[in-house]
Amino acid sequence: MRRSIATVCLSGTLTEKLTAVARAGFDGVEIFENDLVASPLSPEEIRTRTADLGLTIDLYQPMRDVEAVPEEVFTRNLRRARRKFELMRRLGADTVLVCSNISPQALDDDALAAAQLRRLADLAQDFGIRVAYEALAWGRHVSTYDHAWCIVEMAGHPALGICLDSFHILSRGSDPKGIEDIPGEKIFFLQLADAPLMAMDVLQWSRHYRCFPGQGGFDVAGLLRHVIHAGYNGPLSLEVFNDVFRQADAGRTAVDGLRSLLALEESVGVLPLPAPVIPTGVAFAELATGDPQPVSKLLGALGFTRAARHRGTPVELWEQGAARVLVNTGTATRRSGTTLAAIGLESPDPAAAARRGEAMLAPTLPRRRTAHDVPLESIAAPDGTELLYCATSRSQLPSWTDDFEPLGDAPRPASGVTAIDHLALTQPRHHFDEAVLFHRTVLGLRPRDTVEFADPYGLFRSRALSAPQNGPRLVLNLAPGPTEEGESRAQHVAFAVDDIVTAVRRIQGAGGELLRIPANYYDDLQTRYEFPDGELETYRELGILYDRDEQGGEFRHCYTATLGHVFFELVQRIGGYRGYGAANAPIRLAAQRH
Amino acid sequence: MRRSIATVCLSGTLTEKLTAVARAGFDGVEIFENDLVASPLSPEEIRTRTADLGLTIDLYQPMRDVEAVPEEVFTRNLRRARRKFELMRRLGADTVLVCSNISPQALDDDALAAAQLRRLADLAQDFGIRVAYEALAWGRHVSTYDHAWCIVEMAGHPALGICLDSFHILSRGSDPKGIEDIPGEKIFFLQLADAPLMAMDVLQWSRHYRCFPGQGGFDVAGLLRHVIHAGYNGPLSLEVFNDVFRQADAGRTAVDGLRSLLALEESVGVLPLPAPVIPTGVAFAELATGDPQPVSKLLGALGFTRAARHRGTPVELWEQGAARVLVNTGTATRRSGTTLAAIGLESPDPAAAARRGEAMLAPTLPRRRTAHDVPLESIAAPDGTELLYCATSRSQLPSWTDDFEPLGDAPRPASGVTAIDHLALTQPRHHFDEAVLFHRTVLGLRPRDTVEFADPYGLFRSRALSAPQNGPRLVLNLAPGPTEEGESRAQHVAFAVDDIVTAVRRIQGAGGELLRIPANYYDDLQTRYEFPDGELETYRELGILYDRDEQGGEFRHCYTATLGHVFFELVQRIGGYRGYGAANAPIRLAAQRH
């Protein structure tokens, strides 16, 4: 199906928006009137620019408060419409959106609405223009799609049809099944938007919180199925606006939007794409640092052994159990600090995974390791983290470890780390929903519910994604600080241990520095849970945090000091605990600031 | 009355919060449990720190989900309560907030709730602690203050009373008059918060949008009158949290909060303060620049004459009609660009105005002009603009112009500017509501409704303040750009003219550069309004923008090019138009970016 997007979705000038839409790979565009009015380009220039970019103008929008009004008002409205149709002819747009009337002047009279829309359609037809009538969820008398269709049917004019908008339909709780009763050729246009489920005035909800399909709580795919069954074959067009997009980079927003459309089409079975190849684990976490000494010291204290060195680049491999950490000193400067630069994902089929990434618009990165001819496909996540599709010592597939040369270092005493439990990635506010959609559609991970709470310096939001079975777990955190753009929050790597008490004692014995937790935390813990004798005292002594879920699963965890922009966590899961100790995050954040 | 604030209102560590509260001038504090739990200070250390800062701990909060539960749950809750009371004893807090139960375990049984609260109060009494029971607006069975009072009355325990919270009462639409039926000594605590009127789930509304009294849409003063009539004599305590405060500087937020309390007390007649001295006009706008040549050139083209020079500092006075612009080259560097640094307000009584400012916590600035002994009192607005209380050539009062020495410059041909119409000040997002409260309470200006619309780069918010009669008009704009912190938006000075067409022709004749408005704007204007023959063409030719209000009042305006961070506007008001052409702001913003 053809894919389109409204210019109102994007930030910037009309020229910037059109360029972003074309670069992302859309077929067409809805021109939002305000964007045209504010543009120094004439309608003819916009027409040429759009065509040069390979885009069609699928809709001009909106016309407001046209129908169901007293005759003298309607006469003025028709005059207004004629001027718009003249402009649309210059622009080369052949479909106009007419929103149901919201003005106090509007009359509750369907016959009048139908008669006036018929006259409007008559005029439009003279210009070769079609009128698509849409029920706004907050329309004065017409606020549901079936009501709008009833009026369009009554008008019975070939140049008059209906525009469906998933937000207006689903926010009202209307049953979209009735869409199948509308003849497909009378559905002139389809606008798609999602939104988080909120109990809020629908106008505010629509203006500030719309998001791309798959980023909210509506069943947009279910609605699309009904529209396809009805026989609609026009474009799928995104019409999303929210306070975040208005400030975000237009190019990124456009790619994010197109990715959401591709995933939507795939989910309703109209677009065959290479299937996601879900990673089965984490092959490694890679730190980039210009100052390797403190990193080596901390990894050593954590019980990791420096096992191998890359043959071609200054990268060391540290190991403990199935946990592997690469330390790369070839890309970072001392000034940029230590960062979590890349994640190796254990992939059942790296080449197929790369094809999926490409189909889902993931930016492909240049292959950076080619010693011994081990190809490593890699892509960039929205936050810039490099994701590499790896095979580790599996038959049939070349292993990335073949590029590494074993070192003769004596094994360190292990602390009990068995694997990488999860990776926590801090996201810039503008890209949080984009990142969730990316990891879901590109990697095939499943997002869990969003967790939100107030931390001492701002609202903290967190959302985990994990493989349906075993596999990597990613935790996306959003934590705006006092200087929203300036302060970058640290990322972290969480290691699984079987017995955190033993592990911490070993680490402290080896000189590893752990985050200090305030005594008040343990006093409070005591008011919330009952513990076996001595257990709380052990936690207090060692700085171990504790959480318990509703099924009685338990979580014990602690943190190392922060190196640059990275720190480590040790986690012990007991009794099927599946969370990440989110309730303790404010304690951790406050302790890290002290 | 004593003034208090909850630590949850402020950003930062507990220590930072307590310091900010004390410095602002509060008498006491509510300690929010999470702040204590995350603090490295022990309860005893917090007690000492608070006392050293001259603050009392007026409330410890919250205890949740205590009452109206099955007996075995309540037994656990009592055990939990005992530990909290022990902690409160260490902290030296003698009142605890208990919120009405929101848990699914809670039973709809007032007698059980009363019986269990009585047992809780019995235990509290042993520790010398009072229990203040509050109805949360989203409580499971108890969500209104009269219901909570009914349970407290039924319990009939001296250590059990009620906590009233203006948000919980007014957000539910409860009539606060019934508060007068509660004996004053049974009202143990009063929490005050306001909120903008929104149709939204009350829990979300409360968590994200609370604001200080006078910054929202609730009649907090009306509620306070009822509470005072009931005989309450405890502290007035602010309990406000929103997403903005969580990221703002604690010190500023605390001062903003205390200012709102002072204004609230004044409005209900319990705090006599020096009355506001409402300015009667704008004496001057002062630009600071390190590069005066382009400023002089533009002012000259606008028809201003360089009339005088300050005797002591490098400041020139430019005049046209009653509009005066000072150009100060003594404070700015070339790199900082040209800014609107100060506003001279024509004050009926500068000394009394300064006393009002001090009473309302306005930061007083050092007097900076003392040549000829003309004292000029000045304060800093929240955005850093200096406000000076001036008298211009009035008998009895020394005139600030006495410090200026007339120059012999030949008068320029005037363009028709008669006065300064308004000043538009861009506000950082964190301080928008603070700025409105400041100008309202310190200067006595009246805020008008907030205007909000989407500009091409973000959500644009604007709010005007003006004197009840004639006097200065300020327009506060909030316009977050793509780099929210980085990009500072320009301020502007709007000059009134009687005939903008003549003025613009003169200015263009004198080489003044005006902002170019896209042709599409005029094509669109034509679809919206009817104009007399030739009028629209004149606007199009000269770059004049147009607006019309519902009463038929008209507004014609245009803008100069921007110099550094300042530009000028010319405005012509016809037929009682009172707005600021907000609908044209997106056009202006887009044109300024081209």
Side-chain angles (χ1 to χ4, degrees), chain B residues 279-486:
Chain B
T280 53
V282 177
F284 59 81
E286 178 175 324
L287 310 182
T289 185
D291 187 14
Q293 203 271 333
V295 178
S296 301
K297 183 165 168 249
L298 182 55
L299 286 172
L302 288 172
F304 280 75
T305 295
R306 197 172 58 138
R309 181 182 290 133
H310 195 271
R311 295 177 207 274
T313 50
V315 179
E316 289 178 350
L317 166 60
W318 293 70
E319 278 187 341
Q320 183 177 189
R324 295 176 209 94
V325 176
L326 302 187
V327 180
N328 186 337
T329 51
T331 53
T333 62
R334 194 169 274 266
R335 184 134 177 281
S336 63
T338 303
T339 57
L340 176 60
I343 300 169
L345 297 168
E346 194 65 32
S347 177
D349 184 346
R355 286 194 295 277
R356 172 68 180 185
E358 200 175 338
M360 275 299 171
L361 314 175
T364 304
L365 296 176
R367 288 184 185 165
R368 56 172 178 142
R369 290 178 187 77
T370 50
H372 280 223
D373 266 351
V374 179
L376 260 184
E377 310 281 354
S378 76
I379 58 173
D383 62 4
T385 306
E386 183 175 0
L387 304 176
L388 299 103
Y389 301 115
C390 300
T392 310
S393 312
R394 295 207 307 272
S395 56
Q396 315 295 340
L397 289 168
S399 177
W400 61 275
T401 53
D402 295 349
D403 268 349
F404 283 78
E405 185 168 31
L407 291 170
D409 287 24
R412 303 252 187 176
S415 68
V417 166
T418 57
I420 289 178
D421 182 88
H422 65 272
L423 297 139
L425 306 173
T426 303
Q427 304 296 312
R429 179 178 134 193
H430 295 169
H431 305 135
F432 194 84
D433 288 341
E434 177 192 353
V436 174
L437 182 74
F438 180 95
H439 292 295
R440 176 167 73 78
T441 59
V442 173
L443 303 182
L445 300 183
R446 293 203 185 150
R448 301 180 60 181
D449 286 345
T450 299
V451 178
E452 238 183 35
F453 52 85
D455 100 355
Y457 287 92
L459 198 72
F460 185 90
R461 191 187 301 163
S462 178
R463 194 162 190 192
L465 297 105
S466 55
Q469 306 295 327
N470 289 328
R473 300 183 183 104
L474 300 180
V475 178
L476 306 184
N477 291 329
L478 174 151
T483 57
E484 201 166 313
E485 312 297 325

Side-chain angles (χ1 to χ4, degrees), chain A residues 203-484:
Chain A
L203 177 58
Q204 292 298 319
W205 192 14
S206 173
R207 284 214 178 133
H208 301 290
Y209 297 97
R210 283 185 178 219
C211 55
F212 289 130
Q215 293 179 338
F218 290 153
D219 181 11
V220 183
L223 181 138
L224 179 57
R225 277 193 202 94
H226 295 303
V227 177
I228 291 169
H229 283 171
Y232 174 72
N233 59 14
L236 306 182
S237 188
L238 297 168
E239 200 206 19
V240 166
F241 22 86
N242 67 46
D243 299 348
V244 173
F245 287 0
R246 289 200 179 95
Q247 295 176 43
D249 173 75
R252 288 188 71 143
T253 307
V255 170
D256 185 28
L258 189 59
R259 183 179 296 127
S260 97
L261 264 190
L262 296 173
L264 180 69
E265 290 175 60
E266 179 184 44
S267 72
V268 301
V270 296
L271 182 68
L273 289 177
V277 180
I278 301 168
T280 53
V282 177
F284 59 82
E286 177 175 324
L287 309 182
T289 185
D291 186 15
Q293 203 271 332
V295 178
S296 300
K297 184 167 169 249
L298 182 55
L299 285 172
L302 288 172
F304 280 75
T305 294
R306 197 171 60 138
R309 181 183 289 132
H310 195 270
R311 296 179 207 274
T313 51
V315 178
E316 290 178 348
L317 166 59
W318 292 71
E319 278 187 341
Q320 183 176 188
R324 295 174 210 96
V325 177
L326 302 187
V327 179
N328 186 336
T329 51
T331 54
T333 62
R334 193 170 275 266
R335 186 136 177 279
S336 63
T338 302
T339 58
L340 176 61
I343 301 169
L345 297 168
E346 194 66 34
S347 178
D349 184 345
R355 284 194 296 277
R356 171 69 179 183
E358 199 175 340
M360 275 299 170
L361 314 176
T364 304
L365 296 176
R367 288 183 184 167
R368 56 175 178 140
R369 290 178 188 75
T370 50
H372 280 227
D373 265 349
V374 179
L376 260 184
E377 309 281 354
S378 75
I379 57 173
D383 62 4
T385 306
E386 183 174 1
L387 303 177
L388 299 102
Y389 300 115
C390 301
T392 310
S393 312
R394 296 209 305 273
S395 58
Q396 314 295 342
L397 287 168
S399 178
W400 61 276
T401 52
D402 295 348
D403 267 349
F404 283 79
E405 185 168 28
L407 292 169
D409 286 23
R412 303 251 184 176
S415 67
V417 166
T418 58
I420 290 179
D421 182 88
H422 66 273
L423 297 139
L425 307 173
T426 303
Q427 303 298 311
R429 179 178 137 195
H430 296 167
H431 304 136
F432 194 84
D433 289 340
E434 176 192 352
V436 174
L437 182 74
F438 179 96
H439 292 294
R440 177 168 72 78
T441 59
V442 173
L443 302 182
L445 300 183
R446 292 199 188 157
R448 301 180 58 181
D449 286 344
T450 299
V451 178
E452 237 182 37
F453 53 85
D455 100 355
Y457 288 92
L459 198 74
F460 185 90
R461 191 189 300 164
S462 179
R463 193 163 191 190
L465 296 106
S466 55
Q469 305 296 327
N470 288 329
R473 300 183 185 103
L474 300 181
V475 178
L476 305 185
N477 290 330
L478 173 150
T483 56
E484 199 165 312

Side-chain angles (χ1 to χ4, degrees), chain A residues 468-508:
Chain A
Q469 305 296 327
N470 288 329
R473 300 183 185 103
L474 300 181
V475 178
L476 305 185
N477 290 330
L478 173 150
T483 56
E484 199 165 312
E485 312 298 327
E487 186 181 325
S488 95
R489 299 287 179 116
Q491 322 273 50
H492 75 267
V493 182
F495 298 120
V497 295
D498 287 335
D499 177 359
I500 197 165
V501 172
T502 304
V504 170
R505 291 200 193 282
R506 286 184 187 160
I507 290 164
Q508 291 183 337

Side-chain angles (χ1 to χ4, degrees), chain A residues 10-17 33-43 46 60 76 79-80 83-84 87 90 198-202 204 207-209 243 246-248 429-430 452 454-459 480-486 518-524 526-530 586-587 590-591 593-594, chain B residues 10-17 33-43 46 60 76 79-80 83-84 87 90 198-202 204 207-209 243 246-248 429-430 452 454-459 480-486 518-524 526-530 586-587 590-591 593-594:
Chain A
L10 305 173
S11 177
T13 64
L14 183 57
T15 307
E16 290 164 353
K17 292 175 184 212
E33 182 163 86
N34 293 20
D35 284 318
L36 177 134
V37 170
S39 172
L41 299 183
S42 70
I46 295 169
Y60 184 73
R76 279 205 304 276
R79 205 159 45 219
R80 182 157 65 98
R83 292 196 178 123
K84 284 218 204 239
L87 186 149
R90 295 170 62 197
M198 303 172 92
M200 181 184 278
D201 168 69
V202 72
Q204 292 298 319
R207 284 214 178 133
H208 301 290
Y209 297 97
D243 299 348
R246 289 200 179 95
Q247 295 176 43
R429 179 178 137 195
H430 296 167
E452 237 182 37
D455 100 355
Y457 288 92
L459 198 74
T483 56
E484 199 165 312
E485 312 298 327
N520 296 336
Y521 170 78
Y522 298 99
D523 293 344
D524 181 65
Q526 195 175 14
T527 72
R528 293 193 285 134
Y529 304 113
E530 301 286 324
I587 303 297
R593 286 197 189 90
H594 273 113
Chain B
L10 304 173
S11 176
T13 64
L14 183 57
T15 306
E16 290 163 354
K17 292 176 186 212
E33 182 163 88
N34 292 21
D35 284 317
L36 178 135
V37 170
S39 173
L41 300 183
S42 71
I46 295 168
Y60 184 73
R76 280 205 303 277
R79 203 158 48 219
R80 182 158 65 97
R83 291 192 179 127
K84 285 220 200 238
L87 186 148
R90 296 170 60 198
M198 302 173 92
M200 182 185 277
D201 169 68
V202 70
Q204 292 299 318
R207 283 214 180 133
H208 302 291
Y209 297 97
D243 300 349
R246 288 198 179 96
Q247 297 178 42
R429 179 178 134 193
H430 295 169
E452 238 183 35
D455 100 355
Y457 287 92
L459 198 72
T483 57
E484 201 166 313
E485 312 297 325
N520 296 336
Y521 171 77
Y522 297 98
D523 294 344
D524 181 64
Q526 196 176 16
T527 71
R528 292 193 285 134
Y529 304 113
E530 300 287 323
I587 303 297
R593 285 196 190 90
H594 274 113

